[in-house]
Amino acid sequence: MSSSGLAVEEIKSLSEAHPKPADIQFQYGTAGFRTLGSVLDSVMFRVGIIAGLRSKKCDGRTVGVMVTASHNPEPDNGVKLVDPKGEMLEASWESYATRLANATTNDEVIKTIESIVETAKIDLSKPAKVVYARDTRPSGPTLVSALEDGFKAIGVEPRNAGVTTTPVLHYLVRAINTKGERCSYGEDSEEGYFSKLGDAFKKLVTGRPAASPLIIDCANGVGAPAAEKLSELLGNSLPIILENTDITTKDVLNNGCGADYVKTSQKLPPSLANKLQPGQRACSLDGDADRLIYFYLDNRGAFHMLDGDKIAALVAAFIVELVKLAGLEGLIKVGVVQTAYANGASTKYLSERLPVKCVPTGVKHLHHAAERYDVGVYFEANGHGTVLFSQVTMETLAQHQPLSPAQSRALEHLISLTELINQTVGDALSDMLLVEVVLSYKSYSGIEWDSLYVDLPNRLVKVVVADRNAFKTEDAERRLVSPEGLQQKIEGLMNRYQSGRSFVRPSGTEDVVRVYAEAAIKSQADELAFRVAGLVYDEAGGDPANRPKEFL
Ligand code: 16G
Ligand code: MG
């Protein structure tokens, strides 16, 4: 042990085994570190150290580490940290993680750790506890051992949660840290998670007519074993048919299936073509089961998608109704948080009924904004979201004296919803149960749910540019401030289309600029998107010889 309190020699010798690739710069972005699994070894080792430091900083409370690349292709992998309440890592620590990941030599690794310890005022004598898990990617086991070396280097008491979903890991972190407390989040095990969800669901659907079978597309990922456990527990209370459950064959993960495939291609996963009956409900999870998209085929076999916006509309309206029925109107205010990607029709539908806030893309922005409501419903259009009940709301629910059996029932339902919903993070399985509860209460099929409002046709286009950082936005990413003058040009185009809306933002996860456009008719939405993409390409100095031919 050196005078700084670090086991310098031990860190150095372990670090030796996990050298940083010379030519790669890593960045802790909106979803943590994420790139090809084959280049992430040194990052994992160093994230193990950062996790230990974070736990020490949090007075020895348990933090979480999830090894996953979510909906990305199978060769990718990634890692993200979870703070003690089960939330995403505090933003200021993202830069510490980035700095340590990019230290070039062993000496620099030590120096960077020392500098983080000093800047963040970390007491190294505190204990460090970390719970960690991985998804089903083949690169997972090796990367996890690098992570474990990092734990060893900084003296972490590790707890391996094995192969599980991202939301389960978030749940575990919160459950471990609230164990034995009045605000205990539940039993700190995967079984505890499933029984919490399952019990709440069964309570909510008791006495309701039996549901017809729901198909779950598990993206050939970690959602498959998880959904299977859930399905066993639910028994007849929700008949489930699992599809895309192959977690051993190479290259099938997220390939032609899963929530991202459905949302981006706006198509049925081909593997479901002969399985999904007209009118039957189906949903897709992503590769780590924190995103959910529903869909169905109508009587003519046409595909209809029910995305995060539709989930938000369904759920928010239901909670507002229960709050009224429970006699809590005025005491509990429900609000919704969306991003610029929310379909204009959903924003219109929701704003006519309750307060709606728009924030920049990325779960942490939505989560924090939702915390400001008594009940905050947040969803990204891509299917990531949840509902947060504030501490005051939880107390209001616990203390409220209902004046009638109807009020009492509504109150019980609200309390069960707080158990059913994973309030730490968006959770595909928990959200799926939530949707199923509302559909059951409203006696809605997918068709009735879909008809709450009609989506404006929309189009998403990627533009590869030399420097995406040249694109800067304001007003929750709805307007560009740089490159100068481009926003005016975009608005000039938008105004030419009925219900036209378009915005441009640099991606936080890929080296591209994204263009979103919507308009009253599909061909116009496409045209607007490709025109704006063309403007962006030219403005960013794109080579005319390589200009994609669809850009107008
Ligand atoms: C990340 C975000 C997701 C966001 C997406 C946008 C988290 C956990 N995930 O996956 O919320 O929708 O990035 O990607 O925050 P983009 O910046 O490439 O468009
Ligand atoms: Mg995911």
Side-chain angles (χ1 to χ4, degrees), residues 29-32 34 70-72 80 88 166 170 288 290-291 339 341 361-366 380-382 384 425 460 468 477 505-512 514:
T30 37
R34 194 179 289 182
S70 183
H71 57 277
N72 285 35
K80 56 187 169 191
M88 319 273 290
T166 294
H170 283 255
D288 62 341
D290 65 354
R291 275 167 60 175
T339 72
Y341 288 111
T361 304
V363 172
K364 62 183 175 212
H365 300 294
L366 289 117
E380 288 188 301
N382 65 22
H384 190 114
V425 77
L460 203 58
R468 71 178 147 142
E477 305 181 325
R505 59 175 277 279
S507 158
T509 63
E510 271 183 86
D511 212 3
V512 298
R514 297 199 198 282

Side-chain angles (χ1 to χ4, degrees), residues 135-349:
D135 69 16
T136 53
R137 285 180 159 74
S139 57
T142 322
L143 293 176
V144 161
S145 28
L147 180 72
E148 289 167 336
D149 275 357
F151 294 157
K152 226 182 277 168
I154 199 80
V156 164
E157 186 187 310
R159 172 168 160 182
N160 188 349
V163 174
T164 194
T165 70
T166 294
V168 167
L169 195 263
H170 283 255
Y171 166 92
L172 284 175
V173 172
R174 176 112 146 220
I176 291 169
N177 287 315
T178 56
K179 204 170 176 167
E181 287 179 16
R182 200 168 61 94
C183 59
S184 163
Y185 198 58
E187 196 199 303
D188 63 330
S189 64
E190 200 187 55
E191 296 75 49
Y193 163 88
F194 284 118
S195 56
K196 182 177 176 184
L197 259 57
D199 291 350
F201 181 79
K202 285 183 194 161
K203 228 192 252 174
L204 279 156
V205 298
T206 303
R208 309 290 319 163
S212 56
L214 166 71
I215 291 187
I216 307 180
D217 156 23
C218 300
N220 294 315
V222 71
E228 172 135 31
K229 288 175 201 161
L230 184 64
S231 164
E232 272 166 29
L233 209 101
L234 295 174
N236 293 334
S237 63
L238 181 64
I240 287 173
I241 301 166
L242 298 176
E243 296 291 345
N244 298 324
T245 57
D246 182 354
I247 55 170
T248 50
T249 305
K250 202 171 162 341
D251 283 335
V252 295
L253 173 69
N254 296 324
N255 195 347
C257 59
D260 196 59
Y261 172 85
V262 174
K263 176 67 185 164
T264 357
S265 64
Q266 308 194 11
K267 282 198 190 110
L268 183 72
S271 54
L272 298 189
N274 298 318
K275 294 180 174 148
L276 186 63
Q277 306 300 318
Q280 186 178 15
R281 300 174 328 289
C283 61
S284 286
L285 320 177
D286 72 338
D288 62 341
D290 65 354
R291 275 167 60 175
L292 178 73
I293 300 284
Y294 264 74
F295 49 89
Y296 68 94
L297 301 176
D298 65 22
N299 287 336
R300 288 175 307 164
F303 171 80
H304 296 264
M305 180 172 70
L306 297 146
D307 65 0
D309 299 338
K310 281 266 155 87
I311 298 176
L314 182 77
V315 166
F318 182 62
I319 295 178
V320 167
E321 191 179 319
L322 285 182
V323 166
K324 260 188 213 158
L325 286 172
L328 287 163
E329 207 178 356
L331 280 176
I332 296 180
K333 290 259 178 298
V334 184
V336 177
V337 185
Q338 303 186 308
T339 72
Y341 288 111
N343 194 279
S346 81
T347 310
K348 180 168 181 293
Y349 174 88

